[in-house]
Amino acid sequence: MLKADAKLLDLRRISSQGDEMAGEVETAAMGRLRELLISLSPTVQVKLRWQPERGIVRVDGEIRATAEIECQRCLGPMPLALVAQVHAGMAQSEALITRVDPTLDPVLVEDERLNLPAWVEDELLLSLPMIPMCQAWQGGVCPVSGIEPGA
């Protein structure tokens, strides 16, 4: 079992049979993500399967976080469950990844070492909605934020 609290993950240490990673990654250093949100939980939950395969490392699983973001309709705070479905290949070149499986999202890794918190942050950034809006609001006072747009 790989440790989710690792800052630097050495991909060469992944077992040839594959390894599981389940646990929490701290969000304290995730400044880019924090800039876009009103609040972010102190930790992110990861459940990932790491598997070496023909010169790359395949990663499948899920990354979850809870946050608050500004609704673009009512401009109030709204809860946001961030879920990033991971189906990635890690290697030093994109060509190597696509040769193994063209459906994998390529993640380029230098020296076979992955900055785990930075990669988790990247995955969560990609899972942000383009235009966050309170789902239940139809008009008048927003039931999530209690704000009436334009008032």
Side-chain angles (χ1 to χ4, degrees):
M1 171 92 53
L2 297 172
K3 293 184 178 186
D5 62 355
K7 302 294 183 228
L8 200 60
L9 180 62
D10 189 339
L11 299 178
R12 295 170 293 198
R13 293 190 169 202
I14 295 172
S15 154
S16 60
Q17 292 80 30
D19 282 313
E20 301 287 328
M21 176 185 285
E24 297 179 341
V25 176
E26 290 187 16
T27 61
M30 297 183 185
R32 296 173 296 151
L33 186 59
R34 286 187 175 283
E35 284 181 18
L36 300 172
L37 301 170
I38 295 170
S39 68
L40 177 63
S41 57
T43 58
V44 171
Q45 298 294 318
V46 296
K47 187 172 183 181
L48 301 166
R49 172 86 180 144
W50 303 75
Q51 181 66 52
E53 182 180 327
R54 297 187 292 166
I56 70 164
V57 174
R58 176 187 294 268
V59 186
D60 290 290
E62 190 173 81
I63 301 169
R64 292 182 164 271
T66 56
E68 273 190 330
I69 194 166
E70 184 179 86
C71 170
Q72 295 303 297
R73 187 179 290 142
C74 72
L75 301 179
M78 64 174 247
L80 180 65
L82 291 172
V83 179
Q85 296 295 330
V86 178
H87 181 64
M90 298 187 177
Q92 290 185 5
S93 80
E94 189 171 343
L96 184 57
I97 297 165
T98 56
R99 216 172 327 165
V100 172
D101 184 343
T103 68
L104 294 173
D105 294 328
V107 177
L108 302 181
V109 180
E110 291 183 36
D111 300 324
E112 297 188 65
R113 290 190 172 94
L114 176 69
N115 180 328
L116 186 63
W119 174 69
V120 167
E121 181 183 31
D122 289 344
E123 292 297 320
L124 289 173
L125 284 165
L126 290 169
S127 74
L128 285 172
M130 295 282 286
I131 303 172
M133 289 187 284
C134 300
Q135 299 299 317
W137 185 78
Q138 298 295 317
V141 175
C142 175
V144 176
S145 67
I147 296 171
E148 184 170 1

